[in-house]
Amino acid sequence: MYLKVVFKSPENCIFCRQFLLAKTIKEELKQEVEQLKAAGKKVPHLAAVLVGDDGASQTYVASKVRSCERIGYESTLIRRDAKITEEELLQIVKDLNSDDAIDGFIVQLPLPKHIHVNRVIEAIDPAKDVDGFHPVNVGRMVMGLPAFISATPFGIMQLLERNHISTSGKHCVVLGRSNIVGRPMSVLMSRNAEPGNCTVTLCHSRTSNLKEETLRADILIVALGRPEMVTADMVKEGAIVIDVGITRVPDKSAEKGYVLKGDVKFDEVAPKCSYITPVPGGVGAMTVTGLLMNTLQAAKARYA
Ligand code: GUN
């Protein structure tokens, strides 16, 4: 029965619907860019700073830059060796802050260990912080004020909203307390709005009785980076499961030498769910759209 639902049409296909939604949002953004151009205005310009040669980070940043180009934004990629000093990186941030051509920028994480991540994030002009990592944006988000919301949580909220997934009154369990996903996700799901209005439990590496908690979830959002740790026995029948984890697991039989795994054991969990996002092809596509939406907002705010 499950397979029939999955493959009946692209809209129902578990592996297609996030792509279709991301495509729709990108089309909308592309049209907005056309309108800006027609009105003689500047198109949004996103810059990305990539430090070192981490394979996954390179892939993510390449995808962000490619998406910008496809929808008509300008993009700039600044690459630096992993040996860059903190001062040098802070100078790049300072230059981007004062560069009138740049509407928004991101510094891809993780950074090499010798660099204090928070010093870099705090140096970013909040008005150009399209990652929504700066304390000003985090604070405004917590207060329910207009803010840049970090791309993955923003993408997940879009996923819920545009799929008309009702959240009000539900119990949402978030696994993971990172600043990038888990923590902002827990705030957004508990805000007085739709989507939102959930009772939220935030679980992490020190949570005892994890299974007891996950079994209470109407909506389970998993962002731990632990491949396939959520198994069928941990999920309630009919739950909505959003898998944010994406880990390269070595596999000699794979062409690239690795396979991508989510935090959820998809094959056994999917049949229990009313909605689930696969890995790859799920939340990842929505993360990029979240960033593109923030960049358009940043550009509009600068030229309002
Ligand atoms: N590393 C993993 N996710 C992200 C993200 O959304 N933004 C940045 N800058 N780095 C990341």
Side-chain angles (χ1 to χ4, degrees):
M1 186 191 106
Y2 160 64
L3 284 177
K4 266 195 222 149
V5 174
V6 167
F7 294 114
K8 218 156 95 187
S9 71
E11 288 73 22
N12 279 338
C13 170
I14 236 161
F15 299 99
C16 308
R17 56 192 181 194
Q18 283 79 222
F19 275 125
L20 289 176
L21 175 56
K23 198 168 162 234
T24 302
I25 295 175
K26 283 181 192 165
E27 267 316 310
E28 291 169 8
L29 294 171
K30 201 172 170 180
Q31 278 171 22
E32 290 220 38
V33 174
E34 292 301 329
Q35 283 165 13
L36 287 175
K37 273 190 195 163
K41 294 189 178 156
K42 180 185 166 303
V43 299
H45 189 159
L46 174 75
V49 183
L50 176 60
V51 177
D53 52 12
D54 176 73
S57 291
Q58 287 184 42
T59 307
Y60 298 146
V61 170
S63 158
K64 291 170 187 179
V65 169
R66 208 170 39 241
S67 295
C68 280
E69 285 159 6
R70 283 198 186 134
I71 62 167
Y73 290 8
E74 284 187 54
S75 63
T76 298
L77 174 58
I78 300 170
R79 291 199 66 160
R80 290 294 181 270
D81 192 87
K83 291 197 192 97
I84 189 172
T85 65
E86 188 173 297
E87 286 65 36
E88 285 166 337
L89 183 55
L90 287 171
Q91 187 58 50
I92 291 173
V93 168
K94 223 172 149 187
D95 292 344
L96 288 168
N97 283 341
S98 58
D99 187 339
D100 254 351
I102 303 293
D103 298 305
F105 65 96
I106 63 163
V107 179
Q108 186 67 23
L109 304 182
L111 288 170
K113 288 201 168 50
H114 65 277
I115 294 174
H116 294 87
V117 178
N118 287 341
R119 276 188 205 156
V120 175
I121 288 172
E122 285 186 74
I124 297 173
D125 176 353
K128 291 192 177 185
D129 169 39
V130 285
D131 252 334
F133 291 170
H134 190 281
V136 166
N137 281 312
V138 177
R140 290 180 66 89
M141 184 265 296
V142 171
M143 293 177 75
L145 296 168
F148 292 122
I149 295 169
S150 79
T152 301
F154 190 19
I156 294 171
M157 296 312 274
Q158 285 290 314
L159 199 72
L160 297 171
E161 189 176 333
R162 293 194 182 221
N163 282 300
H164 311 291
I165 294 173
S166 122
T167 54
S168 189
K170 301 239 169 93
H171 193 138
C172 174
V173 176
V174 180
L175 303 192
R177 56 181 159 183
S178 73
N179 287 339
I180 298 182
V181 185
R183 220 187 297 254
M185 212 56 246
S186 70
V187 172
L188 292 168
M189 291 302 280
S190 60
R191 69 189 176 154
N192 188 1
E194 185 64 55
N197 271 323
C198 286
T199 303
V200 176
T201 303
L202 181 61
C203 299
H204 45 78
S205 54
R206 301 300 164 95
T207 301
S208 53
N209 302 328
L210 188 64
K211 185 173 158 183
E212 237 171 69
E213 302 292 353
T214 58
L215 277 171
R216 291 164 62 212
D218 302 306
I219 301 173
L220 181 61
I221 301 173
V222 195
L224 286 170
R226 287 169 58 189
E228 298 192 323
M229 61 90 56
V230 173
T231 46
D233 59 321
M234 297 170 72
V235 177
K236 183 158 87 174
E237 199 68 46
I240 289 153
V241 175
I242 310 285
D243 188 355
V244 186
I246 182 159
T247 307
R248 291 180 172 197
V249 177
D251 183 340
K252 284 192 185 122
S253 68
E255 198 183 315
K256 292 183 175 165
Y258 64 84
V259 287
L260 294 173
K261 294 270 182 205
D263 286 355
V264 176
K265 208 161 192 181
F266 184 86
D267 288 349
E268 64 175 55
V269 173
K272 293 185 87 172
C273 301
S274 58
Y275 186 96
I276 184 168
T277 61
V279 176
V283 166
M286 295 306 298
T287 294
V288 177
T289 57
L291 178 66
L292 296 174
M293 288 168 84
N294 279 344
T295 305
L296 180 66
Q297 283 314 314
K300 280 182 166 173
R302 291 185 74 226
Y303 299 105

